[in-house]
Amino acid sequence: MELEGSETTTAAPLNTGVLLIAGAGVALGFLPILFALIPLSSTGVGIQVLSRLFVGALSLAIWNYVILPDPQVRVVPRRRDLILYAVNGLVLLLAFTTYNLSIGLGTPPAKAILLVLLHPIFTVILGRLFLGEPIGPRKIAGTLGAVAGIMVAVGFWTVSDLRAFRLGEFFALTNGLLTALVLIIGRKSSSLEHVPPLVALQFSLLAAIVWSLPIAALLAAMSIEGSQIWAFSLNGHTLLLLLALGLVGTTLPYILLYPGLQRVQASISSLLLLLEPVSVFTLQFLILGKPIFWWQIFGGTILLISNYYVQREVNGSVRRPARGR
């Protein structure tokens, strides 16, 4: 499959890609709720991250080789793809870790969300540099409008210490950049002719587990919340939450994201993922009974309008898969 070909598909595949990635954004809305139910005092950042990696890799292996096996898929990856998996695994590991640390180090959740959700700006720039994705006035306006909508939905005026920039804020901003890299590399790996997207994701998560060993040693040496990184309270309730964290917070959204990246530009995918906080507001209302405020509805509306505005320009972002696929 060519990322930057001259041919385009019909409207149906585009709608499929958009729906897949929008679904991934909605599924990611479960993450903040699950993190809120798993206190760091009983289950540290390291345990949470490793749970996402192990459960994600195991469930994807079952999906790829048991539920929907493809006889043409190699169990052992090709040597020429190992570098891509290693890089993607490191980026995924750092993205998962910085997401947790941004809040775990005391950054107000709303402020962390604001910094993390700057990833569409990063993705537009990196998508142009590494994938050759075009940047036009419509995409720029839509991206800025979507980010502004999220800022309103989060209620940026209510965030305390908005100008402060501490270690937690650094991790949140870094997570926004890493999220952009996840989309860029995921879009690249989705173009591999001989590897289905979910198999590439499975190998990337396995690589992330390998990377976690030296990263864990580094975090321990830095003593960042050292007493809490590996805190773990062994009980059925915690194990169930960690399982849900891996399945609902990792496997489900990424099963939707990676196939969607075959059909939609990384920069457009980043905008669609901004549905995550809208999903969070809705899920908190349905599950936790928290109210939805007028600015959340207003900001979410701006986000949806901005996404639609950009979608009208990007029919050309969907490329016809190569023959034989």
Side-chain angles (χ1 to χ4, degrees):
M1 173 183 164
E2 295 179 357
L3 288 180
E4 299 300 329
S6 59
E7 296 179 314
T8 60
T9 62
T10 60
L14 174 61
N15 292 335
T16 300
V18 167
L19 290 174
L20 284 171
I21 296 178
V26 172
L28 286 171
F30 284 96
L31 274 177
I33 295 177
L34 289 171
F35 286 141
L37 296 174
I38 308 176
L40 288 175
S41 59
S42 63
T43 309
V45 170
I47 298 298
Q48 294 184 18
V49 171
L50 287 178
S51 297
R52 295 185 66 185
L53 294 177
F54 275 105
V55 174
L58 178 61
S59 58
L60 280 170
I62 294 174
W63 180 273
N64 290 326
Y65 301 119
V66 179
I67 299 178
L68 291 177
D70 185 342
Q72 297 182 349
V73 174
R74 293 164 55 96
V75 176
V76 178
R78 289 173 170 82
R79 182 177 300 177
R80 63 185 177 181
D81 298 329
L82 289 178
I83 294 179
L84 178 62
Y85 299 148
V87 172
N88 197 27
L90 179 60
V91 171
L92 286 168
L93 173 62
L94 294 177
F96 289 179
T97 304
T98 53
Y99 187 95
N100 284 67
L101 286 176
S102 63
I103 298 178
L105 292 177
T107 302
K111 186 175 182 181
I113 291 173
L114 284 176
L115 293 173
V116 167
L117 294 180
L118 292 177
H119 62 76
I121 297 175
F122 295 130
T123 310
V124 167
I125 297 172
L126 295 177
R128 177 60 181 173
L129 291 176
F130 294 106
L131 300 176
E133 294 183 355
I135 301 178
R138 183 183 291 269
K139 181 179 288 186
I140 293 174
T143 300
L144 295 178
V147 172
I150 287 300
M151 292 180 67
V152 172
V154 173
F156 69 91
W157 59 88
T158 65
V159 177
S160 60
D161 296 331
L162 190 60
R163 296 183 180 180
F165 195 81
R166 296 154 297 196
L167 188 57
E169 281 83 353
F170 169 77
F171 281 126
L173 187 61
T174 301
N175 183 264
L177 177 60
L178 290 167
T179 300
L181 289 174
V182 167
L183 296 174
I184 297 298
I185 301 174
R187 172 79 165 156
K188 182 67 176 177
S189 63
S190 294
S191 70
L192 297 176
E193 296 285 350
H194 51 281
V195 182
L198 296 182
V199 174
L201 174 60
Q202 171 202 320
F203 287 137
S204 296
L205 289 175
L206 290 174
I209 294 173
V210 175
W211 277 112
S212 67
L213 301 177
I215 296 295
L218 177 62
L219 289 176
M222 294 172 62
S223 298
I224 301 177
E225 292 289 317
S227 61
Q228 301 298 328
I229 286 180
W230 304 114
F232 182 53
S233 176
L234 182 60
N235 57 70
H237 178 70
T238 300
L239 290 176
L240 184 62
L241 286 174
L242 291 176
L243 179 63
L245 186 63
L247 291 175
V248 181
T250 304
T251 304
L252 177 59
Y254 280 89
I255 276 181
L256 299 172
L257 176 63
Y258 264 60
L261 285 170
Q262 286 187 302
R263 301 172 171 87
V264 183
Q265 291 180 7
S267 51
I268 305 305
S269 300
S270 186
L271 293 179
L272 292 167
L273 288 182
L274 290 181
L275 290 172
E276 175 187 348
V278 177
S279 172
V280 172
F281 302 146
T282 305
L283 291 172
Q284 286 180 338
F285 172 74
L286 295 175
I287 298 175
L288 303 178
K290 292 188 176 182
I292 297 178
F293 300 101
W294 67 266
W295 59 83
Q296 295 171 337
I297 297 174
F298 181 58
T301 302
I302 296 175
L303 167 65
L304 294 176
I305 293 174
S306 299
N307 259 299
Y308 176 75
Y309 179 71
V310 176
Q311 295 301 324
R312 296 183 59 186
E313 185 188 59
V314 298
N315 288 335
S317 67
V318 184
R319 306 301 172 190
R320 181 176 298 161
R323 295 178 181 178
R325 288 287 289 171

